[in-house]
């Protein structure tokens, strides 16, 4: 099926220096059957922390993965800091240098030390010398509280520690945006807090962040905006206070009744 492109106002985009993520009319289908994203439009400004919430299957993870080219979309437009995400592999690689991603699973290389996991990208993709990459890596590992573990292997670390390494690895590429796809969902409860603490500090530093999470305390405290998705549609884009304390949509009330105890 062929989709028509929605109208976009390039002049408006160019005049907004604060916008770093712009999505307009984004549609995503799997096998031309399952319509997972239905015309999503949103803007994220520099330095904002935006939390995506919604029931399972609402399209949250798919949407966040379109922001770095991991998921292609069939209709609409996505720009990251003025560069449009296209199906061109070279363009996608450029975008991924600007956008860091932290997944549910840590995806660390088990045969490499923590230090080498963090230096791999800067050396091979950014051309840093080994000395410079290692100095940067140690600073980042210190920042996430893992510096003493630099010479260990991922299997020797707890899940929370491994996820903090994954955050350091993403930061090593000096991204303009950090994406988090349910970064605490695979962790034991006692390890969740240490990862959220790192994310809080990252938000306080001014990093632009888009997070898929059901961690209510984090969302209340850190998010500038809550975007709620349901059945592939953007239901609301509002403040944490209004979302949690005065929701208007019945779908949101039902969702909150399930996650708030």
């Amino acid at each position: 099926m062929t989709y028509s492109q929605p109208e976009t106002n390039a002049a408006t985009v160019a005049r907004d220096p604060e916008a770093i993520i712009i999505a307009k009319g984004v549609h995503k289908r799997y096998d031309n059957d399952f319509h997972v994203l239905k015309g999503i439009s949103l803007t994220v400004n520099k330095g904002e922390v935006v939390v995506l919430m919604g029931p399972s299957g609402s399209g949250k993870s798919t949407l966040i993965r379109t922001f770095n080219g991991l998921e292609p979309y069939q209709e609409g437009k996505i720009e990251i800091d003025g560069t449009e995400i296209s199906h061109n592999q070279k363009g996608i690689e450029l975008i991924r240098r600007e956008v860091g991603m932290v997944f549910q699973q840590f995806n660390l290389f088990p045969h490499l030390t923590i230090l080498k996991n963090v230096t791999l990208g800067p050396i091979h993709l950014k051309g840093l010398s080994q000395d410079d990459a290692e100095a940067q890596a140690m600073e980042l590992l210190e920042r996430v509280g893992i510096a003493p573990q630099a010479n260990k292997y991922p299997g020797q670390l707890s899940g929370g520690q491994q996820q903090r390494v994954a955050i350091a690895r993403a930061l090593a590429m000096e991204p303009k945006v950090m994406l988090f796809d349910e970064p605490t969902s695979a962790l034991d409860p006692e390890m969740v807090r240490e990862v959220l603490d790192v994310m809080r500090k990252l938000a306080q530093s001014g990093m632009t962040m888009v997070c898929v999470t059901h961690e209510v305390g984090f969302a209340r405290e850190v998010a500038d905006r809550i975007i709620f998705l349901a059945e592939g549609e953007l239901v609301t884009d509002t403040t944490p206070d209004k979302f949690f304390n005065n929701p208007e949509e019945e779908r949101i009330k039902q969702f909150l009744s399930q996650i708030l105890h």
Side-chain angles (χ1 to χ4, degrees):
M1 183 174 182
T2 302
Y3 299 103
S4 60
Q5 293 295 323
E7 292 184 4
T8 58
N9 189 335
T12 300
V13 173
R15 285 199 304 268
D16 188 354
E18 296 304 313
I20 194 164
I21 299 176
I22 300 173
K24 293 190 175 186
V26 176
H27 288 259
K28 165 71 178 180
R29 291 177 183 267
Y30 287 113
D31 299 324
N32 289 322
D33 184 26
F34 180 42
H35 199 171
V36 64
L37 298 177
K38 303 173 183 177
I40 300 293
S41 295
L42 61 89
T43 299
V44 178
N45 291 330
K46 295 175 182 176
E48 273 195 311
V49 178
V50 175
V51 167
L52 303 181
M53 285 190 159
S56 178
S58 60
K60 309 179 300 295
S61 291
T62 301
L63 178 61
I64 205 172
R65 288 165 70 92
T66 65
F67 292 162
N68 71 345
L70 281 174
E71 287 283 358
Y73 53 96
Q74 287 84 22
E75 179 184 353
K77 182 177 183 179
I78 297 174
E79 288 186 5
I80 306 294
D81 200 25
T83 300
E84 183 175 354
I85 296 180
S86 66
H87 300 300
N88 179 283
Q89 185 61 35
K90 185 175 181 180
I92 290 175
E93 289 174 0
L94 290 174
I95 289 290
R96 288 179 183 166
R97 296 187 187 189
E98 305 286 342
V99 180
M101 182 114 186
V102 178
F103 301 88
Q104 297 176 35
Q105 302 298 329
F106 323 123
N107 295 334
L108 301 176
F109 292 107
H111 63 290
L112 298 180
T113 64
I114 298 309
L115 183 62
K116 287 189 179 298
N117 264 280
V118 178
T119 61
L120 197 62
I123 290 174
H124 292 283
L125 297 177
K126 293 179 62 180
L128 263 64
S129 69
Q130 183 169 331
D131 287 346
D132 287 345
E134 288 184 356
Q136 177 198 54
M138 289 306 299
E139 289 179 7
L140 290 170
L141 291 173
E142 183 70 40
R143 184 174 175 183
V144 301
I146 299 293
Q149 319 298 332
N151 293 315
K152 292 184 178 180
Y153 290 86
Q156 297 175 284
L157 273 58
S158 70
Q161 289 174 321
Q162 290 186 60
Q163 192 63 294
R164 284 186 278 163
V165 173
I167 294 173
R169 180 180 60 182
L171 290 173
M173 294 299 292
E174 299 181 319
K176 295 179 179 178
V177 178
M178 283 286 286
L179 308 176
F180 294 86
D181 187 5
E182 300 199 41
T184 60
S185 64
L187 301 177
D188 293 333
E190 64 270 18
M191 298 176 186
V192 169
R193 184 172 184 175
E194 63 188 58
V195 173
L196 292 179
D197 284 345
V198 171
M199 293 173 63
R200 285 187 181 94
K201 291 176 182 176
L202 192 57
Q204 290 164 4
S205 75
M207 173 63 74
T208 306
M209 298 166 59
V210 182
C211 313
V212 175
T213 182
H214 289 160
E215 297 292 343
V216 173
F218 173 83
R220 284 183 186 272
E221 176 188 348
V222 179
D224 296 299
R225 291 155 54 203
I226 306 289
I227 291 176
F228 182 81
L229 301 180
E231 298 179 344
E233 297 179 339
L234 196 158
V235 177
T236 192
D237 180 344
T238 188
T239 64
D241 180 64
K242 187 171 183 181
F243 181 82
F244 289 109
N245 299 325
N246 190 28
E248 297 177 355
E249 288 273 348
E250 190 59 39
R251 285 181 289 185
I252 298 175
K253 294 177 182 178
Q254 182 178 1
F255 172 76
L256 291 177
S257 70
Q258 295 171 343
I259 67 169
L260 297 176
H261 302 291

